[in-house]
Amino acid sequence: TDRKKLHTAPVGQIFRLRPFHVLVATGGGYAGYRKYEDYKLEQLEKRGIEVPVKLASEWEVALYKSVPTRLLSRAWGRLNQVELPTWLRKPVYSLYIWTFGVNMKEAAVEDLHHYRNLSEFFRRKLKPQARPVCCVHSVISPSDGKILNFGQVKNCEVEQVKGVTYSLESFLGPRISTEEMHFSQAPPGNSFQQQLVTKEGNELYHCVIYLAPGDYHCFHSPTDWTVSHRRHFPGSLMSVNPGVARWIKELFCHNERVVLTGDWKHGFFSLTAVGATNVGSIRIYFDQDLHTNSPSYSKGSYNDFSFISNNNKEGIPMRKGEHLGEFNLGSTIVLIFEAPKDFKFNLKAGQKIRFGEALGSL
């Protein structure tokens, strides 16, 4: 009689499924299915077979977005910061190197025991001579990666991959005040694209670079320019690999991103770092106020920050090749800029490129 009573819950209550659990399980299973579909598409592309574009429906996008990728990315970020025992570092990093084809001979520090955690390993620096910066061409690649698409912007639409577009205005957000940019005011009747072009005879160009997990994770300034404004869009953290980019229209507009805008010698220039699954952390070295992948945010919201002040009338000057920021794993860089009509890209869609190599020139 002195024994404590054991309180048990009814069996039905124990196995009761809540809506959140159903969404996570269903969304996670569907995400896994999509990964398998992406793998099959990659195999077809390697064999030279053209894959027709098949866009996701609204319910498929909603189902994918039900996966708590922001929460998982924050958890992944904390896991990456856990210090590994010295004896465990080489096996863990060696597995990653083997899986993603990392070239450690380019790393400034090749000794794997030097990196205390996965985060330090992901953000490893390169030897100075590993990425020579092209001096001949006016625009260089800001990062290692794969060229998904490039060319002129037409009808206020930008291609994320061939045949799949997104809205230029949705991606960049409303035009920034001309007081913060050194541009003349465009007539109000013009399209958003035309308002970005500041000089007669110029065109608007774009280039999309996908960073795989095995790529160098830092990104640099692609040209000599001045950064005057930062716009941060909180959002989803869906995968941005080429298979998903081909499947979800306006994928880059759904995902969290940091848009840096300013001007170069030919007019408007912007660089956007797009977040992805396990890449909620986007860091801009000169912007200490930027905090990405916060636990909560308002859908469709964004926040602006101007680098032009009473003490700094010009903004942040960046030299071609200068360190600009970093991802925690790998993601996407989108360049949108103004240039004369004779600007030419020295690229092929799908090619691999490394930081410092030429993108294009006049």
Side-chain angles (χ1 to χ4, degrees), residues 15-298:
F15 292 100
R16 185 181 299 164
L17 291 175
R18 297 181 180 181
F20 176 76
H21 299 151
V22 173
L23 284 174
V24 171
T26 308
Y30 192 74
Y33 165 73
R34 287 306 314 173
K35 286 287 187 182
Y36 173 68
E37 289 294 311
D38 295 341
Y39 171 77
K40 291 198 300 183
L41 289 176
E42 288 178 5
Q43 296 305 307
L44 290 174
E45 287 182 344
K46 288 179 179 178
R47 293 162 54 187
I49 301 175
E50 187 172 347
V51 181
V53 174
K54 183 181 179 182
L55 295 177
S57 61
E58 290 186 9
W59 72 265
E60 287 179 308
V61 175
L63 187 58
Y64 189 4
K65 292 175 74 171
S66 71
V67 181
T69 51
R70 294 178 63 84
L71 176 62
L72 293 173
S73 296
R74 285 194 297 274
W76 175 252
R78 291 182 180 179
L79 178 63
N80 288 347
Q81 294 171 3
V82 174
E83 185 169 344
L84 296 176
T86 305
W87 62 268
L88 188 59
R89 294 174 188 176
K90 188 171 183 179
V92 170
Y93 301 147
S94 296
L95 177 61
Y96 185 90
I97 290 168
W98 177 79
T99 303
F100 296 108
V102 177
N103 183 5
M104 283 303 294
K105 291 183 179 179
E106 297 177 333
V109 179
E110 296 184 39
D111 182 11
L112 298 180
H113 296 100
H114 168 81
Y115 303 100
R116 294 173 298 177
N117 51 48
L118 283 165
S119 183
E120 286 188 2
F121 178 72
F122 292 147
R123 295 181 287 107
R124 63 193 176 276
K125 297 295 186 287
L126 299 181
K127 294 173 181 174
Q129 67 274 19
R131 296 289 188 277
V133 175
C134 176
C135 299
V136 178
H137 296 268
S138 55
V139 184
I140 62 168
S141 176
S143 66
D144 289 6
K146 179 181 180 180
I147 301 296
L148 294 190
N149 216 302
F150 62 92
Q152 283 190 21
V153 177
K154 297 180 180 179
N155 302 319
C156 294
E157 293 279 326
V158 186
E159 282 193 317
Q160 58 192 30
V161 294
K162 186 178 180 180
V164 182
T165 63
Y166 55 93
S167 164
L168 179 65
E169 187 169 6
S170 297
F171 182 69
L172 296 178
R175 189 166 187 261
I176 300 161
S177 168
T178 53
E179 295 178 359
E180 298 182 21
M181 310 285 282
H182 309 298
F183 305 151
S184 59
Q185 179 67 49
N190 285 4
S191 68
F192 183 80
Q193 177 179 337
Q194 291 171 327
Q195 290 179 35
L196 295 181
V197 178
T198 63
K199 298 180 180 180
E200 188 176 352
N202 281 2
E203 297 287 350
L204 207 60
Y205 298 86
H206 74 98
C207 182
V208 183
I209 305 170
Y210 167 69
L211 288 76
D215 288 327
Y216 170 55
H217 291 73
C218 297
F219 50 92
H220 300 245
S221 176
T223 192
D224 295 334
W225 64 309
T226 301
V227 183
S228 55
H229 189 272
R230 178 258 292 163
R231 176 169 284 162
H232 172 216
F233 291 85
S236 301
L237 288 173
M238 294 184 283
S239 171
V240 292
N241 74 54
V244 177
R246 187 185 294 108
W247 179 56
I248 297 181
K249 183 178 175 62
E250 299 205 332
L251 171 64
F252 298 156
C253 297
H254 288 293
N255 273 16
E256 181 153 5
R257 59 198 181 279
V258 176
V259 182
L260 300 178
T261 53
D263 61 289
W264 70 318
K265 60 184 179 181
H266 298 298
F268 173 81
F269 199 97
S270 73
L271 180 149
T272 301
V274 183
T277 308
N278 294 335
V279 198
S281 175
I282 302 171
R283 182 183 174 194
I284 305 297
Y285 294 137
F286 57 75
D287 188 356
Q288 301 302 315
D289 295 320
L290 175 65
H291 300 285
T292 57
N293 196 12
S294 300
S296 60
Y297 71 97
S298 299

